[in-house]
Amino acid sequence: MSIPLTTSYRLGLTGWPLEHSLSPTIHTAALGASNLDGDYQLFPVPPLLAGAGALEELIDCMRRGEMHGLNVTIPHKQAVLPFLDGLTPVAQATGAANTIFRRDGQIIGDNTDVQGFLTGLKSFAGHLFLDGRSRNPHSAPHALILGAGGAARGVIYGLVQAGWNVHSAARRLQQAEELVSAIQTSPGSGDGPNFLHLDILPLDRAAISDLLPAVSLLVNTTPVGMIPKVDASPWPDGLPFPPLAVVYDLIYNPLETAFVRAARAGGLIASNGLGMLIEQAALSFEIWTGQTAPRQAMQHAAQEALKPV
Ligand code: NAP
């Protein structure tokens, strides 16, 4: 892959597939609103093993200074790690990188999904974090997380670090076990007693129902309900929502999933994942450019792109 040096900031995204990504729209708006020259391109790379050479070549472009920054999405957030020279503590702890940058000649992987999620959640339900209960496992609030894939790792890591009791509900318990084990043995895991309060359960009605009264945060990290299958929901059929929970769906396309719609219909406050998307992008932009990201312009561009036609 040959990338000519034609602009000030050469940024991009790798993953597979990428056709529906909003990242070029968001980052192009950020460059424009910041009066910076540059572009943000898509570099589709098929899953490994087929894509290994192309992924390595992209990282080499960064090593040669031909690119300033690279975002990484499904399925390469973990696959990219062996090609990097170092990881930030959060990328190491989650075992995933979504933002690659060059510092002192080294190619470093970071994970802005974690802070992106926490900031997105706090901006919509900050009261959940303001009651001073964190770090006391007996009074810490309980979060129920649906799904145990790449995004769940960041969400769960962020919540346990913030002092939550976390319950990871997955259709494949082995995947949840691996997630919990990776987080419990991650750097910094000895810092907080609440790492002990992370358990797993099957994503089904029988397993979840006993937990409901205690849950104050319910997060969907599965792709169930994304365009085009907008009528699907990850929530088990016939199960009432936790009566006191705030609901957060990482999906942002559509802006209101069936899951969010049902939660709102049941009287709960519920958010899509647009805030997280914007914040993780803003943090990447700040790492690459050293400038405060123009979050409003980024959000406006994303909302325009997501408007139904
Ligand atoms: P992933 O690594 O593929 O993980 C998806 C998880 O969902 C896996 O645990 C998977 O289980 C589970 N799952 C899939 N279909 C399911 C079903 N029908 N029932 C129950 N569980 C199911 O994907 P990801 O990277 O975590 O992304 C997940 C979603 O989060 C996507 O919609 C993505 O767009 C969104 N996301 C949003 C943001 C944001 O900024 N808002 C950031 C990251 C991700 P199996 O392994 O058994 O299939």
Side-chain angles (χ1 to χ4, degrees), residues 73-74 77-78 113 146-153 169-172 175 203 220-224 226 233-234 248-252 272-278 280:
T73 189
I74 303 172
K77 286 185 186 181
Q78 286 168 282
D113 281 339
L146 311 180
R153 279 189 181 223
R171 65 175 172 181
R172 284 190 299 124
Q175 188 183 41
L203 204 178
N220 174 39
T221 75
T222 79
V224 182
M226 258 175 84
S233 167
Y248 197 91
D249 195 336
L250 262 56
I251 295 172
Y252 47 82
N272 60 40
L274 191 59
M276 173 179 176
L277 179 77
I278 299 302
Q280 62 78 29

Side-chain angles (χ1 to χ4, degrees), residues 41-246:
Q41 296 181 30
L42 295 177
F43 300 99
V45 167
L48 269 43
L49 293 168
L55 199 54
E56 188 170 15
E57 174 57 15
L58 268 177
I59 301 304
D60 283 345
C61 283
M62 291 214 45
R63 215 180 285 289
R64 295 192 295 266
E66 294 166 11
M67 285 188 74
H68 295 87
L70 187 67
N71 279 139
V72 184
T73 189
I74 303 172
H76 297 315
K77 286 185 186 181
Q78 286 168 282
V80 76
L81 302 190
F83 302 116
L84 307 178
D85 302 322
L87 298 175
T88 61
V90 67
Q92 203 172 349
T94 52
N98 77 330
T99 303
I100 314 289
F101 62 94
R102 188 163 176 252
R103 196 115 320 148
D104 301 327
Q106 302 257 296
I107 305 302
I108 309 294
D110 197 357
N111 188 330
T112 65
D113 281 339
V114 175
Q115 195 53 47
F117 166 70
L118 288 177
T119 303
L121 178 62
K122 282 177 187 171
S123 70
F124 138 84
H127 64 282
L128 291 174
F129 291 83
L130 293 177
D131 59 12
R133 290 179 297 177
S134 66
R135 296 291 165 208
N136 177 352
H138 300 297
S139 58
H142 290 256
L144 173 60
I145 313 302
L146 311 180
R153 279 189 181 223
V155 165
I156 291 175
Y157 176 74
L159 288 172
V160 290
Q161 284 283 13
W164 286 70
N165 291 308
V166 178
H167 308 273
S168 167
R171 65 175 172 181
R172 284 190 299 124
L173 281 183
Q174 193 193 338
Q175 188 183 41
E177 277 164 13
E178 287 165 7
L179 179 156
V180 167
S181 159
I183 290 180
Q184 281 176 331
T185 56
S186 67
S189 64
D191 297 349
N194 293 315
F195 275 89
L196 299 175
H197 296 269
L198 171 55
D199 59 42
I200 63 172
L201 66 162
L203 204 178
D204 65 37
R205 185 180 165 154
I208 289 176
S209 54
D210 285 350
L211 265 183
L212 297 181
V215 170
S216 47
L217 173 65
L218 171 61
V219 184
N220 174 39
T221 75
T222 79
V224 182
M226 258 175 84
I227 273 181
K229 296 184 180 167
V230 295
D231 293 330
S233 167
W235 193 241
D237 275 346
L239 185 65
F241 279 96
L244 303 174
V246 161

